[in-house]
């Protein structure tokens, strides 16, 4: 009513979504939207790996830290490519998501984009975009939500859908 929507949340058994071998292959694709094979992107990955904060055993955490600090939050910035982000160093959640995914895939971390809702304060939720990466535990693969906009692992967001990001544009 009054153009408001109500979402009722419940608890599950705490299980993360399983990922398949096909997911791993698919979410490591290079494409015009996520051009991690581009020399500029490869050079940035080398620079990230040379920083003192970088930890090869915690690549995802290191990358999350980098992207969070690289971009200045700006709701008016609407990058059309990852190269726009590299130039302006500004953006909202979609720019954080795009840069994180491009760099993660270039570092061999299978990553997908998702969207949904995030708590915005004052008892309100708003539209938001973040990523999920695949991690392995005891021989099984799972999707782990990460939010570069807020520098968070396992953010408490409401997932609406995966964004179509798997095939070349």
């Amino acid at each position: 009513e009054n153009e408001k929507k109500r979402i009722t949340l419940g608890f599950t058994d705490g299980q993360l979504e399983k990922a398949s071998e096909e997911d791993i292959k698919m979410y490591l694709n290079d494409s015009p939207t996520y051009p991690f094979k581009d020399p500029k992107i490869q050079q940035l990955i080398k620079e990230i790996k040379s920083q003192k904060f970088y930890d090869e055993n915690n690549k995802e955490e290191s990358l999350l830290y980098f992207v969070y600090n690289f971009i200045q939050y700006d709701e008016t910035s609407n990058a059309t490519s990852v190269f726009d982000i590299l130039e302006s160093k500004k953006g909202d959640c979609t720019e954080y998501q795009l840069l994180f995914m491009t760099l993660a895939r270039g570092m061999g971390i299978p990553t997908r984009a998702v969207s949904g809702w995030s708590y915005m304060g004052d008892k309100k939720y708003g539209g938001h975009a973040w990523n999920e990466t695949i991690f392995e535990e005891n021989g099984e693969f799972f999707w782990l939500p990460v939010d570069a906009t807020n520098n968070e692992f396992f953010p408490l967001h409401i997932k609406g859908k995966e964004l179509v990001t798997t095939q070349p544009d």
Side-chain angles (χ1 to χ4, degrees), residues 5-59:
K5 295 181 181 179
R6 177 181 296 252
I7 299 173
T8 304
L9 302 175
F11 290 98
T12 65
D13 60 4
Q15 295 296 314
L16 293 172
E17 180 183 351
K18 286 190 176 183
S20 66
E21 294 284 342
E22 293 79 27
D23 288 336
I24 293 169
K25 291 176 189 169
M26 184 167 53
Y27 290 103
L28 281 173
N29 286 338
D30 178 83
S31 73
T33 303
Y34 310 105
F36 65 80
K37 292 181 181 177
D38 183 277
K40 287 182 183 178
I41 302 298
Q42 287 298 307
Q43 180 59 38
L44 181 57
I45 290 170
K46 282 183 183 179
E47 290 173 21
I48 293 167
K49 289 182 174 185
S50 73
Q51 298 295 314
K52 63 181 176 183
F53 67 82
Y54 182 78
D55 179 356
E56 185 65 30
N57 294 320
N58 293 303
K59 291 191 288 191

Side-chain angles (χ1 to χ4, degrees), residues 23-149:
D23 288 336
I24 293 169
K25 291 176 189 169
M26 184 167 53
Y27 290 103
L28 281 173
N29 286 338
D30 178 83
S31 73
T33 303
Y34 310 105
F36 65 80
K37 292 181 181 177
D38 183 277
K40 287 182 183 178
I41 302 298
Q42 287 298 307
Q43 180 59 38
L44 181 57
I45 290 170
K46 282 183 183 179
E47 290 173 21
I48 293 167
K49 289 182 174 185
S50 73
Q51 298 295 314
K52 63 181 176 183
F53 67 82
Y54 182 78
D55 179 356
E56 185 65 30
N57 294 320
N58 293 303
K59 291 191 288 191
E60 295 88 348
E61 187 175 340
S62 297
L63 183 57
L64 195 67
Y65 174 84
F66 172 80
V67 173
Y68 174 76
N69 288 290
F70 183 83
I71 298 175
Q72 177 186 356
Y73 191 83
D74 180 0
E75 290 180 356
T76 63
S77 181
N78 290 311
T80 59
S81 75
V82 70
F83 302 107
D84 290 344
I85 299 166
L86 295 179
E87 187 174 313
S88 72
K89 297 182 181 181
K90 293 182 179 183
D92 65 10
C93 59
T94 58
E95 282 80 19
Y96 283 86
Q97 178 193 73
L98 173 60
L99 182 60
F100 182 88
M101 185 142 75
T102 302
L103 294 171
R105 288 182 178 189
M107 295 169 81
I109 304 166
T111 307
R112 67 183 180 189
V114 293
S115 67
W117 299 270
S118 174
Y119 185 68
M120 308 301 258
D122 197 27
K123 300 180 185 178
K124 295 179 184 173
Y125 277 79
H128 191 53
W130 63 96
N131 300 97
E132 291 179 333
T133 63
I134 292 178
F135 76 101
E136 185 266 335
E137 184 175 281
N138 299 324
E140 292 189 289
F141 299 99
F142 300 93
W143 287 106
L144 171 71
V146 296
D147 183 350
T149 309

